[in-house]
Amino acid sequence: MLCNTSVSQCFPSDRILDFFFCCGAQATSRRWPKLLRGGDQATLRRVPSGFQATSRRGPSYFAAGSKRVSPERASTGSVNPVCVCRYYPALRTLEQLEQTCLPRAGQYRFCSIMSDNIPRLRTLIRDTAMSQLKDFLESIRKHSDKIGETAMKQQTARPHNAIQVPGAQELVDFSPVYRCLHIYTVLGSREQFENYYRNQRRKQARLVLQPHSNMHETLEGYRRYFNQIVGFFVVEDHILHTTQGLVNRAYVEELWELALSKTIAALRTHSSYCTDPDLVLDLKNLIVLLADTLQGYGFPVSQLFDMMFEMREQYGEILLKKWNLVLDQDNFSPIPVATEEEYRQFTSQFPFQDPELDKLPFPKKLPFSEFVPQVYSQLKEFVYACLKYYEDLHLSSTEIDDVIRKSTNLLLTRTLSNCLQYAMKKKNVGLAELVQVIINTTQLEASCVYLEEFISNITNVPPDTANATKLYGTSTFKDARHAAEEEIYTNLNAKIDQFLQLADYDWTAAQGGGDPSDYLSDLIAFLCSTFSVFTHLPGKVAQTACMSACKHLSTSLLQLLLETDVRQVSMGALQQFNTDVKECERFARAGPVPGFQGDTLLLAFSDLRQLLDLFTQWDWSSYLADYGRPTCKYLRVNPHTALTLLEKMKDTSRKNNMFAQFRKNERDKQKLIDTVVKQLRNLISAHQT
């Protein structure tokens, strides 16, 4: 039974009718675009404006010079079966046919054929839109670094009013996303589409966040990595704000948390391989740009700034490693200056003032070595390097001043101090080098006040600000100087021991010579030469070194006399030994370094002098009678020491006089020695009791 309404009244277009007759005749899909070209203009005007593309450029969906690559011709160059992307009008036409036109047309066979093909056409439209969406996703995955690069250029250009850079979102044609979203919404499969889109983007996020293994080798490696991250989130931010729920805030925040953790872990790993401070500084600036760019899109970036504060320790460590080279290259010699220009060049590098030196004619020598101006210059460079790192980290002037001072203190107390200690412990460092270290550290200690002013000037924070961190330079250089002083005392004593090893006394000699021993003459000449280079040392240091050397010499000579290997000592050997001690006293009396009052330096040899006087003058009656009294002439002679030496002389006397024992003088002398030995033993026993 036919419907009373004519077919021409039921269908809005003869083209649609012709198309479906072709479908009924099993036409190929190449005829399908006739339907999609159909539809009235009123239907086309009903496409929601929120789903229109914001841009029309790109290779597939990105700018490619002045030409736009059409999605329909992206692969084959031919027109897609569903032409010119008018999917929404086609769906509206199908809906009109299915719900209005076909029911009114009646039970015609062609109506049945048309009705059966409607689901197939909807599937075709959906699949074609999905295919273009997949092309879009693949394209933005490949070009996310370009999107990110553009976004970061925008961030760089914004505060400087530079030439306008095209917006990152202007490079992308988002129409495939909007179109596919709308088609799936019309077809009742929006949730399916949302899940598919989010899952695909999650997979892409994991790929984007996976850094290259050699990323740490160049700054460009980090830059590409950051560009990809920024490009990914610029796209997601745009989708978030231009679609009604395709992605939501929770989904974007979840991806951002994943990105933060992956990015920070990658930075920790790869930046740890870096040994170039300039690369670390450039990387920090790049991270700041990354953080500022993403913060402009509303993403929280505090963890990135925390990461940069972690990196400052690594940056400082790399800077500190450069300091070993400073000491390794020093020659530990005063700087010679031949002209006024050279003199001004050095004094401009280091705050040095010496009115007495200014009066001397050229050529002349600065008291310090090249180590001093190098250290001071590098201290200033270190401060500048720290200041560069802390720029753009959103810190106040007070905070920057505080962290710079703390970093400088770490340089002074750990690195510089260790370098000085290492330099002083080297085997090839002699007394002259140690003297130069003391002079250098004294000059650097005096320069600390100028370093304080320098830091205050570049940070604009007065040094007397409450709670301001003070530099530890003074204490660092004092400690280094004291260590150098101890090394001088130790090395000087070691040199004395080397000379004493050359001593070759004939302990059984019948008579002593009138001249000092050769080894001692050489030792005295060495001491005179050594103390002559102490002129630039602080007075107390030179005096302490001289007194220490004389005491060590006196003690060593006494030990040489009392060694167990020396079993016998004749009076002749003792006379030669006394001649050598007199030479030492002459050296002390001459005043090898200024500043000693009277015969203060002679006191170092007083124990040895009293012992030798006791034996050479054989004044045992005075010693035994006055022992223990403050007025005793031999107050510094220990009875144990006297007994040890006397027994060695007793053995010598017996051996040399075994055939002259019947001589009265020899018998009397032997009896006297025996008597003195007995009295000394009684004296020792009495005092021990």
Side-chain angles (χ1 to χ4, degrees):
M1 179 177 173
L2 295 175
C3 177
N4 295 328
T5 306
S6 67
V7 172
S8 61
Q9 293 174 329
C10 294
F11 296 97
S13 173
D14 291 340
R15 288 175 296 172
I16 295 176
L17 185 59
D18 293 340
F19 172 77
F20 276 97
F21 275 119
C22 291
C23 291
Q26 298 184 359
T28 65
S29 61
R30 285 191 295 272
R31 299 286 187 99
W32 295 351
K34 292 182 179 181
L35 170 66
L36 300 178
R37 284 197 297 268
D40 52 40
Q41 296 301 316
T43 301
L44 297 180
R45 286 193 295 270
R46 287 197 295 272
V47 178
S49 60
F51 294 97
Q52 298 301 315
T54 59
S55 176
R56 303 297 186 193
R57 297 194 221 170
S60 291
Y61 306 101
F62 299 89
S66 59
K67 297 181 180 180
R68 174 170 176 255
V69 182
S70 171
E72 293 76 27
R73 301 183 182 271
S75 57
T76 64
S78 61
V79 179
N80 189 289
V82 182
C83 69
V84 298
C85 305
R86 298 175 65 180
Y87 306 120
Y88 182 73
L91 288 175
R92 294 291 294 174
T93 301
L94 291 176
E95 181 182 2
Q96 185 180 5
L97 286 171
E98 185 178 41
Q99 296 181 4
T100 305
C101 298
L102 290 178
R104 291 172 57 190
Q107 301 298 321
Y108 293 105
R109 184 170 179 272
F110 78 89
C111 292
S112 176
I113 294 173
M114 294 174 70
S115 180
D116 292 342
N117 277 280
I118 286 176
R120 292 168 52 194
L121 288 170
R122 284 180 174 147
T123 302
L124 173 64
I125 293 171
R126 183 195 65 190
D127 292 346
T128 305
M130 177 57 72
S131 176
Q132 293 187 4
L133 175 73
K134 290 179 179 178
D135 292 342
F136 169 83
L137 292 175
E138 178 64 19
S139 187
I140 60 172
R141 185 187 69 81
K142 292 180 180 179
H143 296 86
S144 61
D145 58 338
K146 178 64 176 177
I147 302 171
E149 180 184 0
T150 304
M152 295 177 82
K153 282 183 179 178
Q154 275 189 312
Q155 179 63 32
T156 304
R158 187 174 296 124
H160 302 290
N161 297 320
I163 299 174
Q164 184 64 33
V165 179
Q169 297 160 6
E170 296 176 9
L171 298 176
V172 184
D173 180 5
F174 288 93
S175 59
V177 181
Y178 306 139
R179 186 160 47 241
C180 202
L181 172 62
H182 188 60
I183 288 171
Y184 271 76
T185 302
V186 171
L187 296 177
S189 303
R190 179 187 177 99
E191 184 177 354
Q192 176 188 350
F193 176 72
E194 290 178 357
N195 292 335
Y196 174 82
Y197 177 86
R198 295 181 185 184
N199 289 335
Q200 291 301 310
R201 290 295 280 167
R202 283 193 183 94
K203 292 178 182 178
Q204 291 186 354
R206 289 185 173 88
L207 292 175
V208 165
L209 296 171
Q210 185 65 37
H212 293 289
S213 59
N214 61 344
M215 181 177 73
H216 58 275
E217 294 179 358
T218 62
L219 185 67
E220 193 58 35
Y222 289 105
R223 194 188 306 278
R224 286 195 300 268
Y225 181 59
F226 292 166
N227 286 344
Q228 290 178 352
I229 294 173
V230 172
F232 179 90
F233 283 99
V234 165
V235 170
E236 289 309 288
D237 180 74
H238 188 74
I239 293 295
L240 174 67
H241 289 91
T242 57
T243 62
Q244 289 76 35
L246 176 57
V247 298
N248 54 31
R249 178 62 65 182
Y251 157 82
V252 175
E253 289 178 354
E254 175 192 345
L255 285 181
W256 177 238
E257 288 297 324
L258 173 67
L260 271 180
S261 61
K262 294 282 187 181
T263 303
I264 290 174
L267 286 174
R268 284 199 181 106
T269 301
H270 285 267
S271 64
S272 64
Y273 298 124
C274 184
T275 57
D276 181 5
D278 293 333
L279 179 57
V280 176
L281 185 61
D282 291 339
L283 174 58
K284 165 257 166 182
N285 292 331
L286 198 58
I287 298 174
V288 169
L289 180 58
L290 168 72
D292 290 345
T293 302
L294 289 171
Q295 191 174 38
Y297 286 90
F299 294 99
V301 294
S302 59
Q303 292 184 47
L304 289 175
F305 281 94
D306 293 340
M307 175 62 197
M308 284 184 279
F309 278 108
E310 290 181 24
M311 286 176 56
R312 72 178 179 181
E313 297 181 3
Q314 178 192 356
Y315 179 68
E317 291 293 333
I318 295 173
L319 290 176
L320 296 179
K321 288 179 182 177
K322 298 170 61 178
W323 278 81
N324 290 326
L325 301 176
V326 177
L327 280 174
D328 290 343
Q329 297 170 358
D330 190 36
N331 59 7
F332 294 97
S333 300
I335 301 175
V337 286
T339 63
E340 179 73 23
E341 183 179 355
E342 288 184 17
Y343 184 76
R344 292 185 181 278
Q345 179 182 353
F346 282 107
T347 54
S348 65
Q349 296 175 6
F350 179 73
F352 172 73
Q353 295 178 351
D354 187 346
E356 297 299 324
L357 185 63
D358 292 341
K359 297 176 183 178
L360 297 178
F362 290 98
K364 52 189 173 183
K365 290 184 177 181
L366 298 173
F368 46 81
S369 70
E370 293 183 358
F371 167 77
V372 171
Q374 286 180 359
V375 165
Y376 189 78
S377 297
Q378 290 207 18
L379 278 170
K380 293 170 67 175
E381 290 177 8
F382 180 85
V383 172
Y384 273 127
C386 290
L387 181 65
K388 287 182 181 178
Y389 188 88
Y390 296 124
E391 287 177 345
D392 303 321
L393 293 187
H394 309 310
L395 297 174
S396 66
S397 298
T398 305
E399 290 173 318
I400 292 176
D401 182 83
D402 184 64
V403 293
I404 287 178
R405 288 175 181 272
K406 288 179 178 178
S407 298
T408 307
N409 278 336
L410 188 62
L411 171 66
L412 291 169
T413 58
R414 194 187 71 183
T415 303
L416 182 56
S417 178
N418 290 343
C419 287
L420 289 168
Q421 293 290 342
Y422 173 75
M424 289 184 287
K425 295 294 183 181
K426 283 184 178 179
K427 293 182 179 180
N428 61 342
V429 174
L431 289 169
E433 287 81 4
L434 291 171
V435 169
Q436 192 62 58
V437 169
I438 293 177
I439 296 171
N440 290 347
T441 51
T442 302
Q443 294 291 338
L444 287 170
E445 180 184 349
S447 71
C448 286
V449 61
Y450 299 100
L451 189 61
E452 289 262 12
E453 293 178 359
F454 171 73
I455 295 176
S456 297
N457 289 336
I458 66 171
T459 60
N460 295 319
V461 177
D464 55 352
T465 302
N467 302 322
T469 303
K470 300 300 180 184
L471 291 184
Y472 300 149
T474 302
S475 60
T476 298
F477 294 124
K478 276 184 179 178
D479 293 342
R481 185 170 66 252
H482 292 160
E485 292 170 6
E486 292 297 327
E487 284 295 318
I488 284 180
Y489 307 150
T490 302
N491 286 14
L492 200 54
N493 293 344
K495 273 291 187 181
I496 292 173
D497 292 339
Q498 291 177 10
F499 279 101
L500 289 174
Q501 289 175 2
L502 302 176
D504 187 21
Y505 287 101
D506 180 6
W507 296 110
T508 60
Q511 188 174 0
D515 297 324
S517 302
D518 291 340
Y519 87 91
L520 190 72
S521 298
D522 294 340
L523 172 57
I524 297 301
F526 163 76
L527 291 176
C528 291
S529 173
T530 299
F531 291 129
S532 67
V533 302
F534 282 21
T535 52
H536 292 292
L537 284 177
K540 291 184 179 180
V541 176
Q543 293 168 18
T544 303
C546 189
M547 177 61 78
S548 173
C550 290
K551 284 184 177 180
H552 182 73
L553 176 58
S554 175
T555 303
S556 298
L557 286 172
L558 181 59
Q559 290 175 349
L560 186 65
L561 187 63
L562 301 177
E563 279 184 352
T564 55
D565 293 341
V566 180
R567 300 183 180 277
Q568 302 171 3
V569 177
S570 67
M571 185 57 70
L574 205 60
Q575 290 172 352
Q576 178 62 49
F577 195 81
N578 187 39
T579 300
D580 290 345
V581 172
K582 287 181 179 179
E583 182 68 12
C584 294
E585 292 172 328
R586 184 192 62 77
F587 164 76
R589 195 176 290 108
V593 295
F596 286 109
Q597 295 181 355
D599 294 334
T600 303
L601 197 56
L602 277 174
L603 294 176
F605 298 96
S606 59
D607 292 5
L608 196 55
R609 169 48 49 211
Q610 291 185 15
L611 178 66
L612 291 173
D613 285 349
L614 176 61
F615 276 83
T616 55
Q617 297 176 16
W618 208 253
D619 194 9
W620 291 103
S621 57
S622 298
Y623 177 74
L624 294 171
D626 297 337
Y627 180 77
R629 297 178 182 177
T631 57
C632 179
K633 182 179 179 182
Y634 306 101
L635 185 63
R636 293 179 176 272
V637 177
N638 187 294
H640 291 277
T641 303
L643 178 61
T644 301
L645 183 57
L646 192 60
E647 287 179 337
K648 291 183 179 186
M649 293 187 69
K650 184 174 74 170
D651 292 340
T652 303
S653 177
R654 286 176 177 174
K655 183 175 181 180
N656 293 340
N657 297 293
M658 57 184 303
F659 298 107
Q661 55 182 334
F662 299 108
R663 297 176 186 173
K664 186 176 185 302
N665 290 340
E666 296 298 334
R667 290 199 308 270
D668 293 342
K669 184 177 180 181
Q670 187 64 43
K671 288 180 181 180
L672 181 59
I673 292 176
D674 291 339
T675 301
V676 173
V677 168
K678 183 177 180 180
Q679 290 176 335
L680 283 174
R681 287 174 177 168
N682 292 335
L683 182 64
I684 292 171
S685 298
H687 278 273
Q688 286 179 344
T689 303

